[in-house]
Amino acid sequence: MSLTREQIAKRVAQELKDGYYVNLGIGIPTLVANYVPKGIEVMLQSENGLLGMGPYPTESQVDADMINAGKETVTAVSGASIFSSAESFAMIRGGHVDLTVLGAFEVDQNGDIASYMIPGKLVKGMGGAMDLVAGAQNIVVTMTHADKKGNSKLLEKCTLPLTGVNCIKRIVTDLAVLEVKDGAFYLLERAPGVSVEEIEQKTAGKLVIEGEIPEMTF
């Protein structure tokens, strides 16, 4: 069975390390805030000017003035800071974000990412994505392995306009965890109940499979 959005977020949360400053993109990445592992402290950054973002609020916690970059209401943890978006982007561009988690339309075997537009469709804008892929120390992409028509989103070469080049290191899809290196996707883990053969079938780019591939654990 393929992973749910929440399960993808849970697996991505395992990539967090104590002391990290982490930016979460819109969509599945924002769910990661709900699954920060116990025993570690991370500061979640939102590029609209919040450092120290907490989980989504309960109904009684909702504050309409406390929002993330996707205009969703959020909470703030103890020690959080609020500042201007200019200072926030200085933090990103200065390389002070340890990890960023982004969604994507396509990723290719060279680590290129296309995440902000599909030609012919309404585009709100680049947002902070281009700054994040250029400035973050490490980038994890969350996405479905294939589109609704079954076409692979893990390609030999991206077909959509690029957000960044040679910058993606790790991908967590609804089927697998993959590392991008040496011009290929290296299969590290598979979703529970998902076969290696299914992952091969739905990966258009070069896929390297070494040894027995374990199932993800949560």
Side-chain angles (χ1 to χ4, degrees):
M1 293 290 290
S2 59
L3 300 183
T4 65
R5 290 163 55 89
E6 287 74 19
Q7 287 174 317
I8 294 174
K10 281 183 181 180
R11 177 58 189 83
V12 172
Q14 295 177 21
E15 302 295 315
L16 305 179
K17 290 183 171 51
D18 191 40
Y20 264 14
Y21 292 94
V22 182
N23 181 283
L24 301 178
I26 296 170
I28 295 174
T30 57
L31 298 175
V32 175
N34 292 334
Y35 302 108
V36 176
K38 293 180 180 179
I40 72 169
E41 183 175 331
V42 299
M43 293 296 276
L44 301 178
Q45 191 243 24
S46 183
E47 64 256 35
N48 59 324
L50 171 61
L51 180 64
M53 186 169 56
Y56 280 116
T58 62
E59 193 170 335
S60 63
Q61 293 175 316
V62 170
D63 178 351
D65 292 325
M66 182 69 72
I67 61 172
N68 63 17
K71 299 181 176 60
E72 300 170 306
T73 53
V74 293
T75 60
V77 300
S78 177
S81 299
I82 297 172
F83 37 85
S84 74
S85 60
E87 290 173 301
S88 183
F89 274 92
M91 179 180 178
I92 293 167
R93 293 168 183 168
H96 305 296
V97 174
D98 298 296
L99 174 68
T100 188
V101 184
L102 294 173
F105 297 130
E106 297 174 345
V107 177
D108 70 29
Q109 63 196 36
N110 297 309
D112 300 350
I113 177 174
S115 67
Y116 79 101
M117 74 170 295
I118 297 175
K121 293 194 175 183
L122 181 65
V123 181
K124 291 184 178 179
M126 174 66 74
M130 188 172 284
D131 295 275
L132 286 162
V133 298
Q137 303 293 322
N138 192 17
I139 303 164
V140 175
V141 166
T142 67
M143 61 195 297
T144 55
H145 213 94
D147 63 22
K148 293 178 181 178
K149 296 180 179 178
N151 300 311
S152 178
K153 295 164 76 171
L154 301 173
L155 307 175
E156 182 178 347
K157 191 70 179 171
C158 288
T159 62
L160 296 172
L162 296 180
T163 308
V165 174
N166 194 25
C167 57
I168 305 306
K169 306 299 183 189
R170 184 156 293 201
I171 306 164
V172 180
T173 76
D174 56 339
L175 302 181
V177 178
L178 307 105
E179 184 177 3
V180 184
K181 65 178 183 179
D182 302 327
F185 299 109
Y186 282 70
L187 182 59
L188 303 182
E189 300 173 23
R190 54 192 174 88
V194 172
S195 68
V196 171
E197 289 73 25
E198 181 179 355
I199 296 166
E200 284 184 291
Q201 183 183 3
K202 293 183 177 178
T203 305
K206 181 180 178 182
L207 181 65
V208 177
I209 301 165
E210 297 179 334
E212 198 71 26
I213 306 299
E215 289 189 347
M216 297 180 207
T217 57
F218 301 99

